[in-house]
Amino acid sequence: MEVDDVPLDDKAKRMRDLLSSFYSLDHSMSSPDTSSSSKYATLDAINTTSFDPNQYMHLLVHKSNLEGLLQKHVEMAAEIKNLDTDLQMLVYENYNKFISATDTIKQMKSNIVNMEANMEQLLEKIMSVQCRSDGVNTSLFEKREHIEKLHRTRNLLRKVQFIYDLPARLGKCIKSEAYADAVKFYTGAMPIFKAYGDSSFQDCKRASEEAVTIIIKNLQGKLFSDSESIQARAEAAVLLKQLDFPVDSLKVKLLEKLEQSVAGLQLKIEDMGNASVDSNDTSTDSVPATEHETSVREFAEAIRAYRVIFPDSEMQLTKLAQDLVSRHFETTEQYIKTQIWSAHLLGVLRIIWRDVLLMDDVLHEAALSDYSLEPARVAVKLYVSNKFSHLLSSISDALTKAHTRQKDKGEEYSLQVALEGGKKAVLQGSMDVLLDFRQLLDDNLGLLVKLKDLIIDWVQEGFQDFFRALDGHFLLLSGKNSSATQDLGLTEGIQDDKVLAGLVLVLAQVSIFIEQNAIPRITEEIAASFSGGGARGYEYGPAFVPGEICRIFHSAGEKFLHIYINMRTQRISVLLKKRFTTPNWVKHKEPREVHMFVDLFLQELEVIRSEVKQILPEGIRRHRRADSTGSTASSRSNPLREEKLSRSNTQRARSQLLETHLAKLFKQKVEIFTKVEFTQESVVTTLVKLCLKSLQEFVRLQTFNRSGFQQIQLDIQFLRTPLKEMAEDEAAVDFLLDEVIVAAAERCLDPIPLEPAILDKLIQAKLAKTKEQNPNTL
């Protein structure tokens, strides 16, 4: 038994080594070297292929106590029991499979036994059928050969008959203009003519060639006929090539025909008005084919045929197709200049894009879809630019045409109408333009999808440039550059000084409206619908800068307000200059009444108040009167002046001047010129102050006698009450009026003022006369 066990153990080890080499395992694990395995053996080695039971027991005894050995014994007994159970189940399962396999084999064996008899019978029948088939083939062989020979003869006779009938067939095709069938018949007979045309079928060949000559002549005429369609001419060229006609000589002529047809395919401005009808339908399949689309399809088919005839003509055809696309966009640019909307532009672009796709199908090398991007970019940018130009014109019309309309109707010009029209034109016009541009972005046309980022940048840049141009245009309307204004015709109908000054005031208020209302609204709309872009490059900064525009129009509003004040002040200064330079003040007569220039002066101020009330809002009425110090000083000066009336002329004049200067030293310092605000009171007060200051300067340039001085005193005293009612700063008005009288006294040879009673009597007489002339005047 021990001798038998040894070879069995060697066989098992050899099998383990083979398995280890197959699965690329470490050979050291299966090495028979017991010394190395014992050196590194562990208790976990029981599950390995190199398990040594003696070594395992030795380690277990040395490493475990008695209790551990008993526990290990219990565990191993349980594992052995589980393994026996698994093995038993495995045997049972395999036993069932073996039984099933045995039954199947028995059944197959019985079926095969019965099948052998059937197969033998089938073989006998097949052999019998084969013998009968061989007999039939032998008996029918001669007849089959005869039938095949007759069939070949019949086909040959048909061909011969076709050759003899060919001239007649060609004649019928010529009469019916069925040239395609004629070419097909003739090309089919060409092999026979080449083989037997000089002998058997000489007459048929000659007659056929004569008919083909007529066909070639007719096809040439059809090829160069302007009445034929492009597709028909292309088919004629293909047929000529099939007849071995030298069509290369016709290449230049046919290309010239295609070039002439391009001019007929070009879009026309008068036909573009209907382009927006189908602009909302982006599916070209659902739109019926128009005459233009049909012509373009024929042109595309002609290009396809031309390529077939002349394979090396891609460069000429590409140039021709690009020329057609360029012509389309040139017409589109002219159409854009007629003030169109985005619906019209989309309709035209959709037609062009459809033509591009049609030609792209037959001429891929031209890459027309990429070529059309650049002219489309130019056209869309021109459209955006023109929209802003038209918006600028509409704002200018709203500001200036109101005067023209009312002047034609004989009505008084209303600045309120111009102001409301200007505000509406700026805000509503900008919103309409943004909505129009939004339709371009929302459309899914292939051209516009690729230009989306550029359109966003153009819109933002356009608004930035538009408001800068609007600021310059406002400056032209204000009359600061009259020559350029008249050349451009921008201030037509506003040449009247009164209207021009009022328009400047309107421009000031519109500028403030743009800063406070229009720019924030436009900024919100741009942020909501035109965000993104970035095609212009981040190094150039943002395209639309609202803060800069607000600063521009805030400065413009202040500038136009000062221009208005200067214009009105200059007009009144002309009146004052005429008043003080016309008479001879040294020989002036005694004052009998308030001078008429006072009425003119007050009328001018009343016109200013009327304009300001229409445009500017009311402010808080602040009556800045002089305090007790100023009042005391004024009261102190008047008694001093009255006391000295009994003195001599020279002494009284010198005393009055000295007392006046002393009184001015004790008066409180009055702030005359303050910052102008956008309110009615501030503008009117500033104008009154400037006019009184001008009046003072004109007085200083003259020399007065006693009567002249008294006339100035009377006029100034009459102006005191209405001017204080108009102006907000009464203290400054009092101060400036006093300064005028002081200046007159300084320039008077005998400064003796009117007595208060006489002064009051003359003023009351003027008031009564004014009330009599105009009962509504207070």
Side-chain angles (χ1 to χ4, degrees):
M1 295 295 293
E2 294 177 359
V3 176
D4 295 334
D5 292 337
V6 174
L8 182 62
D9 187 49
D10 292 338
K11 184 178 180 181
K13 290 181 179 179
R14 187 167 58 255
M15 292 298 295
R16 284 198 299 271
D17 292 338
L18 290 173
L19 291 172
S20 297
S21 63
F22 179 78
Y23 289 103
S24 301
L25 298 176
D26 190 4
H27 294 283
S28 63
M29 296 178 61
S30 58
S31 175
D33 189 1
T34 57
S35 61
S36 61
S37 62
S38 63
K39 181 178 181 181
Y40 299 102
T42 60
L43 293 177
D44 296 331
I46 191 172
N47 294 322
T48 63
T49 57
S50 60
F51 174 67
D52 187 357
N54 295 328
Q55 182 67 24
Y56 182 79
M57 288 302 298
H58 180 72
L59 288 173
L60 189 61
V61 170
H62 279 78
K63 292 184 178 182
S64 304
N65 52 16
L66 181 59
E67 184 178 353
L69 290 174
L70 292 175
Q71 181 66 28
K72 194 65 175 178
H73 169 72
V74 173
E75 292 177 356
M76 292 185 68
E79 290 179 1
I80 291 170
K81 186 176 180 180
N82 290 334
L83 290 174
D84 290 342
T85 303
D86 295 339
L87 183 60
Q88 186 177 7
M89 293 297 297
L90 184 61
V91 170
Y92 287 160
E93 290 178 359
N94 291 334
Y95 181 73
N96 291 332
K97 293 179 181 179
F98 290 151
I99 293 174
S100 177
T102 302
D103 294 340
T104 303
I105 292 170
K106 288 180 180 180
Q107 186 177 359
M108 289 177 63
K109 185 176 180 181
S110 62
N111 292 336
I112 290 173
V113 171
N114 297 329
M115 189 182 295
E116 289 178 355
N118 295 332
M119 293 298 293
E120 291 176 356
Q121 294 176 3
L122 180 60
L123 181 60
E124 292 177 359
K125 293 180 180 180
I126 291 175
M127 294 302 293
S128 175
V129 171
Q130 184 177 0
C131 292
R132 293 181 181 180
S133 176
D134 292 339
V136 171
N137 289 334
T138 302
S139 62
L140 297 179
F141 177 75
E142 294 180 358
K143 294 181 179 180
R144 185 185 299 112
E145 289 291 330
H146 182 65
I147 291 172
E148 289 179 356
K149 184 177 180 180
L150 291 176
H151 182 67
R152 288 194 295 270
T153 304
R154 180 175 178 271
N155 290 337
L156 182 59
L157 290 175
R158 282 184 176 180
K159 292 180 181 179
V160 172
Q161 185 65 38
F162 176 78
I163 296 299
Y164 280 113
D165 294 341
L166 182 60
R169 288 175 182 265
L170 294 179
K172 292 180 180 179
C173 291
I174 291 173
K175 289 181 180 180
S176 61
E177 295 185 356
Y179 300 116
D181 293 337
V183 172
K184 182 176 68 173
F185 295 153
Y186 183 74
T187 54
M190 283 297 294
I192 298 176
F193 283 150
K194 288 180 180 179
Y196 308 104
D198 296 334
S199 58
S200 303
F201 304 106
Q202 187 174 4
D203 296 335
C204 293
K205 181 181 178 182
R206 186 184 307 108
S208 299
E209 288 178 349
E210 291 176 357
V212 168
T213 302
I214 297 174
I215 292 173
I216 291 175
K217 184 178 179 181
N218 292 343
L219 288 176
Q220 286 180 336
K222 192 173 184 180
L223 181 63
F224 297 108
S225 176
D226 295 332
S227 61
E228 296 291 339
S229 64
I230 297 177
Q231 188 173 3
R233 286 183 283 179
E235 291 176 355
V238 173
L239 294 177
L240 286 173
K241 188 174 183 181
Q242 291 177 2
L243 293 174
D244 294 332
F245 186 82
V247 293
D248 290 340
S249 60
L250 305 176
K251 181 177 180 179
V252 177
K253 295 182 179 179
L254 186 58
L255 187 61
E256 290 177 356
K257 291 291 183 180
L258 288 176
E259 291 176 352
Q260 292 174 3
S261 65
V262 168
L265 293 175
Q266 182 179 355
L267 291 173
K268 297 178 176 58
I269 295 180
E270 54 269 17
D271 298 333
M272 288 183 174
N274 300 324
S276 62
V277 174
D278 303 322
S279 62
N280 295 326
D281 189 358
T282 58
S283 176
T284 56
D285 296 335
S286 61
V287 180
T290 60
E291 182 180 355
H292 173 77
E293 183 181 358
T294 304
S295 301
V296 174
R297 288 185 184 276
E298 292 181 356
F299 180 74
E301 291 301 325
I303 290 178
R304 190 195 303 274
Y306 197 92
R307 289 191 64 186
V308 174
I309 304 170
F310 311 108
D312 58 342
S313 59
E314 295 176 356
M315 185 177 298
Q316 294 90 336
L317 295 176
T318 298
K319 184 178 179 181
L320 202 62
Q322 290 178 352
D323 182 55
L324 177 59
V325 174
S326 300
R327 286 170 179 260
H328 281 349
F329 279 106
E330 288 175 2
T331 308
T332 303
E333 291 177 10
Q334 297 176 5
Y335 183 51
I336 289 173
K337 295 177 182 178
T338 61
Q339 192 174 359
I340 62 174
W341 292 93
S342 60
H344 302 90
L345 179 62
L346 287 173
V348 174
L349 292 179
R350 188 165 287 110
I351 292 175
I352 296 176
W353 185 244
R354 184 172 55 200
D355 294 350
V356 168
L357 295 181
L358 286 175
M359 291 185 290
D360 242 354
D361 290 339
V362 298
L363 198 62
H364 304 287
E365 295 79 4
L368 293 179
S369 57
D370 296 332
Y371 175 81
S372 59
L373 281 179
E374 178 60 23
R377 184 189 69 82
V378 174
V380 175
K381 187 173 183 180
L382 177 64
Y383 174 77
V384 174
S385 177
N386 275 18
K387 270 298 174 185
F388 285 113
S389 298
H390 293 312
L391 178 59
L392 183 63
S393 299
S394 65
I395 294 173
S396 176
D397 292 342
L399 292 173
T400 59
K401 297 302 181 183
H403 166 63
T404 305
R405 290 194 301 267
Q406 294 193 3
K407 187 176 181 181
D408 294 339
K409 296 179 181 180
E411 300 177 3
E412 184 181 356
Y413 175 63
S414 174
L415 296 179
Q416 184 67 28
V417 175
L419 176 62
E420 295 301 324
K423 288 181 178 180
K424 183 178 180 181
V426 171
L427 185 56
Q428 189 60 42
S430 299
M431 292 297 103
D432 292 342
V433 166
L434 285 172
L435 180 61
D436 192 64
F437 292 152
R438 184 64 191 173
Q439 293 181 7
L440 295 179
L441 290 182
D442 293 340
D443 199 274
N444 58 356
L445 190 65
L447 281 174
L448 296 179
V449 170
K450 297 177 182 179
L451 297 175
K452 182 176 181 180
D453 290 340
L454 286 174
I455 292 175
I456 293 175
D457 286 341
W458 292 336
V459 171
Q460 295 184 6
E461 291 176 3
F463 267 106
Q464 189 79 8
D465 297 337
F466 162 73
F467 281 113
R468 289 173 179 168
L470 185 62
D471 176 54
H473 185 65
F474 281 1
L475 189 62
L476 292 178
L477 292 178
S478 67
K480 286 317 228 177
N481 192 355
S482 58
S483 60
T485 303
Q486 293 173 3
D487 292 340
L488 296 175
L490 296 175
T491 56
E492 181 182 357
I494 56 171
Q495 299 301 322
D496 185 73
D497 293 340
K498 173 183 176 182
V499 177
L500 182 59
L503 180 60
V504 173
L505 187 60
V506 172
L507 294 177
Q509 190 62 18
V510 171
S511 299
I512 298 302
F513 173 79
I514 292 174
E515 176 203 359
Q516 298 178 353
N517 299 91
I519 296 299
R521 178 74 181 280
I522 294 172
T523 304
E524 292 177 1
E525 186 65 25
I526 289 178
S529 303
F530 295 89
S531 59
R536 70 194 296 266
Y538 293 100
E539 65 273 11
Y540 298 104
F544 181 63
V545 186
E548 179 184 351
I549 301 300
C550 289
R551 288 192 297 272
I552 289 175
F553 279 92
H554 180 78
S555 175
E558 294 180 346
K559 177 170 57 180
F560 290 135
L561 190 60
H562 285 91
I563 291 174
Y564 172 76
I565 293 174
N566 290 337
M567 293 176 69
R568 282 307 182 189
T569 304
Q570 289 174 6
R571 182 178 175 84
I572 295 176
S573 296
V574 172
L575 175 64
L576 297 176
K577 182 178 180 181
K578 185 176 181 181
R579 164 68 180 119
F580 284 96
T581 56
T582 301
N584 187 354
W585 292 97
V586 178
K587 299 179 179 180
H588 201 279
K589 297 180 180 180
E590 283 188 21
R592 300 294 182 184
E593 60 180 356
V594 178
H595 196 270
M596 62 177 295
F597 106 91
V598 174
D599 296 332
L600 299 176
F601 179 60
L602 292 178
Q603 287 177 8
E604 290 293 332
L605 292 179
E606 201 59 42
V607 170
I608 294 172
R609 288 182 65 186
S610 175
E611 292 177 348
V612 169
K613 284 182 179 180
Q614 293 183 64
I615 302 301
L616 298 179
E618 293 185 1
I620 301 175
R621 183 76 176 179
R622 299 187 300 270
H623 294 278
R624 292 188 285 180
R625 303 177 182 274
D627 58 7
S628 58
T629 307
S631 300
T632 305
S634 299
S635 62
R636 187 186 309 142
S637 62
N638 289 333
L640 288 174
R641 188 180 300 129
E642 293 175 2
E643 278 182 20
K644 305 302 180 181
L645 290 176
S646 58
R647 301 181 183 179
S648 64
N649 294 341
T650 304
Q651 292 296 327
R652 275 185 296 188
R654 291 178 179 177
S655 299
Q656 272 192 333
L657 290 175
L658 179 61
E659 291 167 6
T660 302
H661 287 297
L662 288 175
K664 288 172 62 177
L665 294 176
F666 288 100
K667 281 186 179 180
Q668 183 182 12
K669 185 177 180 181
V670 178
E671 185 178 5
I672 303 226
F673 297 107
T674 57
K675 182 180 179 180
V676 184
E677 299 176 358
F678 283 87
T679 60
Q680 301 175 14
E681 293 78 10
S682 178
V683 173
V684 173
T685 300
T686 302
L687 277 164
V688 170
K689 291 178 181 179
L690 290 173
C691 292
L692 292 180
K693 196 67 178 175
S694 298
L695 179 60
Q696 178 184 356
E697 296 302 323
F698 282 118
V699 168
R700 286 178 177 175
L701 297 176
Q702 304 298 326
T703 302
F704 304 93
N705 61 1
R706 180 192 304 176
S707 299
F709 169 70
Q710 291 176 352
Q711 182 68 54
I712 297 298
Q713 180 190 8
L714 175 61
D715 295 342
I716 295 302
Q717 189 63 27
F718 181 81
L719 286 172
R720 192 177 297 272
T721 300
L723 292 183
K724 289 167 69 175
E725 288 295 330
M726 292 182 183
E728 180 184 20
D729 192 354
E730 297 182 6
V733 171
D734 275 332
F735 177 80
L736 290 173
L737 291 172
D738 291 340
E739 286 292 310
V740 173
I741 296 177
V742 170
E746 290 176 351
R747 298 294 299 170
C748 181
L749 301 175
D750 187 15
I752 299 177
L754 287 173
E755 295 183 2
I758 299 175
L759 188 65
D760 184 62
K761 180 180 179 181
L762 293 175
I763 291 175
Q764 292 300 325
K766 177 64 176 177
L767 291 175
K769 182 178 178 181
T770 304
K771 186 175 182 181
E772 181 180 352
Q773 293 176 352
N774 189 0
N776 297 325
T777 303
L778 296 179

